[in-house]
Amino acid sequence: MSIDHLGHLGHPTTRPATAPSAGAAHGRWRCREAAARLIAFACDAHARYQCAVFRIGLSGLVLAFLLREWPHRRVLYGDRSPWALDLAARLVAENHAFTVLTWSAGRWWFECVYHGAILVAALLMLGWRTRATSVLFLIAVLSLQNRNPLIGDGGDNVIGVMAIYLAFTQCGTVWSLDARRARRNRRAGRVDRAGFVMWQILGVALLWVSDGFQGTAWAAVLWAGWVCQGLWYAARRWSRGAWSRELLDAAATMLHNCAMLVIAAQICLIYATAGWYKVQGTRWQDGSGLHYALHLDYFSPWPGLGSLLASHMLLIVLLSYGTVVMQVAFPFLLGYRRLKTALLAVMILEHAGIAVLLGLPFLSAAMVVCDAVFLPTALLRPSRRSGSRPKR
């Protein structure tokens, strides 16, 4: 054995470290790019036009209802209501619902709340100070509904739930007076000081009515929203660095996206549960569910029209099965763009039929407003001219 061989045995050579392969580097780059796209997607406000339609429709529906019931407002929610104020206060204490109408038995308080609800609904529909008016709209809707829970046709429950979600969205970014004022302030380089004054007024009002809250939950929610709005304004106005403003804007945007996602999930849940409950019923299984619904005296505003439709049994069977199929398949068909528009058109026609045949206009209108959340953006967004398109 030679000396070279001994040296080789005593000092074995180590394998040189290999450079990272091009595939691994490419994989890490793709992961970083996917993470950057996900962050950019989460920090960008989505469904802005759908949210604007949702805001206009929901507030306009409440405004129309309050104006229609204005002559009967005291019988429904006031001092002449069969559901007396002490009964309402007892029920609120048991179920922990929220209403401001039980704070005072005076007629002046009821008139202020009712007409204030009309004013807030009109301002929200126009898109004026939507950050504040959306919260006031929520308070007004819940106050009226929980004052007399025995009235309503199901649409009030949908409106109440959706009013809660609407308060967490950026519903005034398009088609609103807020968007118009923001464009003018950017062009002129002005700072909006009226919003800060309104924030102070709302803080004083909230401090004044804090004793009326039965518990601390709603007071904590309203105070938290008021404080967050103040922090957002302070960061916009006095912060030297851009990171605080960007952080608050990103948080508000993600909250908006989450609220819109919850609204879409809630609508899918409404249709899915309605369809699956119909599947369990024997009347809907044999296709006669709609026949019996048309013969209910309480839901027959046009008895002649209902009897005429009920006389065609083949049409009744097709409509009954079609209703069940569309409601059960609604959450699954939304993923297909070509079918989604046709599905929404069919659902709107169904709600129009329910409004006319069963006499449930506000329930049908509330569901049509909810269906507008799924409208394609290309249908709502104004078309751009070919010459103004950015170059790629």
Side-chain angles (χ1 to χ4, degrees):
M1 183 180 293
S2 63
I3 298 177
D4 295 335
H5 285 88
L6 291 175
H8 178 71
L9 292 175
H11 303 281
T13 58
T14 58
R15 182 175 299 177
T18 58
S21 61
H26 182 66
R28 287 195 297 268
W29 179 79
R30 293 184 61 182
C31 291
R32 293 177 181 175
E33 184 182 6
R37 289 181 179 179
L38 181 61
I39 295 174
F41 179 81
C43 295
D44 187 17
H46 299 283
R48 295 183 302 162
Y49 292 93
Q50 289 84 349
C51 187
V53 174
F54 186 69
R55 182 204 80 229
I56 296 172
L58 198 65
S59 57
L61 182 60
V62 172
L63 178 62
F65 176 80
L66 294 178
L67 292 178
R68 193 196 71 168
E69 301 297 341
W70 188 85
H72 315 288
R73 64 190 185 280
R74 297 178 63 186
V75 178
L76 295 177
Y77 306 108
D79 54 340
R80 297 180 181 177
S81 175
W83 188 254
L85 186 63
D86 56 343
L87 296 177
R90 188 182 306 173
L91 181 60
V92 168
E94 292 178 358
N95 59 11
H96 303 286
F98 176 78
T99 178
V100 301
L101 289 176
T102 57
W103 293 358
S104 176
R107 183 182 173 185
W108 65 271
W109 176 248
F110 164 73
E111 296 292 348
C112 289
V113 173
Y114 193 90
H115 291 87
I118 295 177
L119 178 61
V120 168
L123 293 177
L124 182 61
M125 185 176 62
L126 296 175
W128 185 81
R129 305 290 177 182
T130 53
R131 293 182 182 273
T133 52
S134 60
V135 178
L136 295 177
F137 177 77
L138 166 63
I139 295 174
V141 169
L142 294 182
S143 297
L144 293 174
Q145 290 182 0
N146 295 326
R147 169 61 179 87
N148 191 354
L150 301 180
I151 61 175
D153 53 5
D156 53 341
N157 295 328
V158 177
I159 294 174
V161 172
M162 296 304 172
I164 297 176
Y165 301 147
L166 182 65
F168 295 95
T169 63
Q170 296 177 347
C171 57
T173 55
V174 295
W175 295 346
S176 64
L177 296 178
D178 288 350
R180 181 183 178 185
R181 182 179 62 255
R183 289 194 300 267
R184 290 185 174 181
N185 290 339
R186 284 195 301 266
R187 293 172 183 174
R190 294 193 300 259
V191 178
D192 185 19
R193 302 182 184 274
F196 181 69
V197 175
M198 186 175 181
W199 175 78
Q200 291 178 325
I201 295 174
L202 291 177
V204 173
L206 186 59
L207 183 63
W208 179 57
V209 301
S210 293
D211 295 336
F213 291 101
Q214 298 292 336
T216 59
W218 278 102
V221 170
L222 295 177
W223 276 114
W226 184 81
V227 170
C228 291
Q229 182 63 25
L231 292 176
W232 180 85
Y233 182 84
R236 285 270 182 173
R237 184 70 177 86
W238 294 299
S239 179
R240 296 181 180 179
W243 66 271
S244 57
R245 296 192 298 267
E246 294 177 355
L247 180 61
L248 291 175
D249 290 341
T253 300
M254 286 188 286
L255 187 63
H256 162 82
N257 294 334
C258 291
M260 293 302 297
L261 180 61
V262 172
I263 290 174
Q266 182 71 49
I267 298 170
C268 292
L269 183 62
I270 291 174
Y271 281 121
T273 52
W276 284 109
Y277 271 112
K278 288 182 176 66
V279 169
Q280 300 175 13
T282 56
R283 299 303 182 186
W284 291 95
Q285 291 177 4
D286 58 21
S288 61
L290 184 58
H291 173 79
Y292 289 98
L294 292 174
H295 285 84
L296 296 174
D297 295 335
Y298 187 75
F299 298 102
S300 298
W302 312 98
L305 183 59
S307 300
L308 178 63
L309 181 61
S311 62
H312 298 80
M313 290 306 300
L314 179 59
L315 182 60
I316 289 295
V317 171
L318 293 177
L319 290 177
S320 298
Y321 284 136
T323 300
V324 175
V325 170
M326 296 301 293
Q327 289 181 350
V328 172
F330 183 86
F332 306 100
L333 296 180
L334 290 175
Y336 299 92
R337 294 184 178 180
R338 296 182 179 180
L339 296 178
K340 184 175 69 173
T341 305
L343 173 65
L344 294 177
V346 172
M347 299 306 293
I348 291 175
L349 291 176
E350 178 186 350
H351 292 309
I354 292 174
V356 175
L357 296 175
L358 300 181
L360 300 173
F362 286 97
L363 172 61
S364 301
M367 293 309 302
V368 170
V369 171
C370 293
D371 292 341
V373 174
F374 300 103
L375 290 175
T377 306
L379 183 64
L380 301 175
R381 190 173 183 177
S383 60
R384 298 179 179 180
R385 298 179 181 178
S386 58
S388 60
R389 293 179 180 177
K391 297 181 181 180
R392 296 183 179 179

